[in-house]
Amino acid sequence: MRTLVFVAWLLFYVFFLLSMRKMWTGKYVRSPLARALFTNMVTETDTPDTAGHEALKWYHCCPDMLGEQVRSQFVQSHLDEDTQAFLRRSVEKSSWLFTQLYHSLFSTIFSPLVSRTSINGFLGRGSMFVFSKDQFQRLLRIGPEWKGQRMLDLGAGDGGVTEVMGCHFHEVFATEVSTPMKWHLQRKNYSLLGIDEWHRTGFQYDLISCLNLLDRCDEPLQLLQDIKKSLVPHTGRLVLAAVLPFQPYVETGGTWVRPKEHIKVAGKTWEEQVTHLSTDVFLKVGFEVEAITRLPYLCEGDMYKDYYVLDDAVFVLKPQD
């Protein structure tokens, strides 16, 4: 009897999900991450080949609206093959109906107990894409064969973006809070550091990446200061990505609250906020902009959306002498 009840419940659940798929809108999104994606930008359901004109908006910048000090550092990016390949994979995965149903059922059961990041780690889903190898090399002004000694990726997730950068370094270190994501990083042979110890190891890094973390940490200004101290003097670089418009919040005990250090970014447009970050926030902690580009922050979708898109500004920052 209990088996019949479970099967009936499962069939009802599947029918409910299928019936809701087409009428799903932003205000009904389940997770805080997905709600942020809907709030901040748009979602796409077409492949990149059929929505090319929409993808052009992901990279659009009006240089005349950038501050004079920032304008000359802007690097124009484009929809390239690596980005299109990620989008095609996301579209393909979203069509795996039974896999998506299993993911949705698992998330529904465990989301009250486990973070969204950890659930994605268990399921091997929710991969992120920030930049391609070519886009990374153009920002750093390096060639495909260039090698550095040591890099650190803060909040590395499953290591997908770490791979793009890590191929240029002999030693790759990473930090991550989620235990399942740590397992992914260990399988890729990255050296894991504790989130409270990475800046106390005595190491100095040729590159530190802080991708879409500044608006999700409790003390972002302290984080920037710790990064500055941990870079190799003169030649060390920080690669920082920030979602714009800048809307910081921190997850604490299942709730979302304002961080202790609240960075207020002035401006309504992407260009205005980039200018304020560059000429005010970063300068105050001792960084100056070496390069800046506009890129989409992409995330694998689910049974409701093929993929999610946020509007990113990616900076290459060098410590001031």
Side-chain angles (χ1 to χ4, degrees):
M1 183 65 182
R2 282 184 291 183
T3 302
L4 289 176
V5 171
F6 174 77
V7 171
W9 174 83
L10 183 61
L11 290 174
F12 171 78
Y13 181 79
V14 171
F15 174 78
F16 174 76
L17 290 177
L18 291 174
S19 65
M20 290 295 290
R21 180 173 184 175
K22 290 186 178 180
M23 61 179 290
W24 202 259
T25 60
K27 65 180 179 179
Y28 298 118
V29 175
R30 302 182 305 280
S31 71
L33 170 62
R35 283 200 297 272
L37 296 177
F38 271 103
T39 301
N40 281 293
M41 197 179 170
V42 296
T43 56
E44 297 293 336
T45 54
D46 295 326
T47 65
D49 296 327
T50 60
H53 64 287
E54 286 294 327
L56 290 176
K57 298 178 183 177
W58 299 347
Y59 305 92
H60 177 72
C61 172
C62 184
D64 291 340
M65 294 178 63
L66 293 171
E68 187 175 349
Q69 300 176 33
V70 184
R71 194 176 306 143
S72 61
Q73 310 305 328
F74 180 74
V75 176
Q76 181 64 60
S77 295
H78 305 277
L79 180 67
D80 61 11
E81 178 53 40
D82 285 356
T83 309
Q84 293 186 64
F86 177 85
L87 293 171
R88 283 193 293 267
R89 289 194 300 271
S90 297
V91 171
E92 181 183 0
K93 285 184 178 181
S94 72
S95 66
W96 298 347
L97 181 59
F98 289 103
T99 300
Q100 296 298 344
L101 287 171
Y102 166 71
H103 288 173
S104 183
L105 177 61
F106 188 96
S107 298
T108 300
I109 293 172
F110 291 101
S111 58
L113 307 172
V114 184
S115 72
R116 177 64 53 176
T117 301
S118 292
I119 288 174
N120 286 339
F122 278 121
L123 297 174
R125 55 158 294 176
S127 291
M128 306 292 183
F129 186 96
V130 179
F131 39 61
S132 66
K133 290 182 180 179
D134 181 65
Q135 289 164 346
F136 176 72
Q137 291 165 12
R138 290 181 67 234
L139 278 174
L140 269 291
R141 299 167 186 162
I142 59 175
E145 305 303 320
W146 182 88
K147 286 282 187 180
Q149 181 59 38
R150 187 182 291 125
M151 73 153 282
L152 168 66
D153 190 9
L154 297 173
D158 64 2
V161 184
T162 316
E163 290 183 58
V164 175
M165 303 177 285
C167 63
H168 289 286
F169 296 89
H170 296 291
E171 297 178 87
V172 179
F173 295 82
T175 70
E176 178 55 50
V177 175
S178 166
T179 298
M181 290 301 185
K182 288 180 182 179
W183 297 338
H184 288 287
L185 295 169
Q186 288 171 331
R187 281 196 291 268
K188 294 176 180 179
N189 294 319
Y190 297 140
S191 300
L192 288 177
L193 298 175
I195 59 171
D196 296 320
E197 70 172 4
W198 61 267
H199 55 287
R200 299 191 180 100
T201 60
F203 293 154
Q204 287 189 310
Y205 304 91
D206 297 295
L207 180 82
I208 297 179
S209 62
C210 179
L211 305 178
N212 303 301
L213 185 61
L214 201 64
D215 59 348
R216 296 295 176 264
C217 66
D218 215 19
E219 298 178 293
L221 296 176
Q222 183 62 54
L223 173 65
L224 290 173
Q225 291 167 0
D226 290 338
I227 289 173
K228 186 173 183 289
K229 294 174 185 176
S230 302
L231 288 170
V232 173
H234 308 300
T235 60
R237 294 294 182 267
L238 165 62
V239 176
L240 184 145
V243 174
L244 300 181
F246 195 77
Q247 297 178 344
Y249 60 84
V250 179
E251 184 178 15
T252 304
T255 60
W256 297 85
V257 298
R258 283 284 185 93
K260 292 178 183 176
E261 294 179 349
H262 180 60
I263 298 177
K264 185 173 177 61
V265 180
K268 294 182 179 180
T269 67
W270 185 89
E271 291 85 355
E272 289 171 343
Q273 293 209 353
V274 162
T275 299
H276 185 259
L277 281 168
S278 303
T279 59
D280 190 272
V281 176
F282 298 148
L283 276 179
K284 284 184 177 178
V285 292
F287 283 104
E288 59 181 287
V289 175
E290 190 169 71
I292 168 71
T293 193
R294 185 173 188 168
L295 290 171
Y297 173 29
L298 301 168
C299 175
E300 285 182 348
D302 47 32
M303 67 178 295
Y304 306 108
K305 295 291 177 181
D306 293 334
Y307 50 88
Y308 294 100
V309 187
L310 284 175
D311 205 356
D312 243 2
V314 182
F315 301 85
V316 177
L317 303 173
K318 61 180 179 180
Q320 292 177 311
D321 294 332

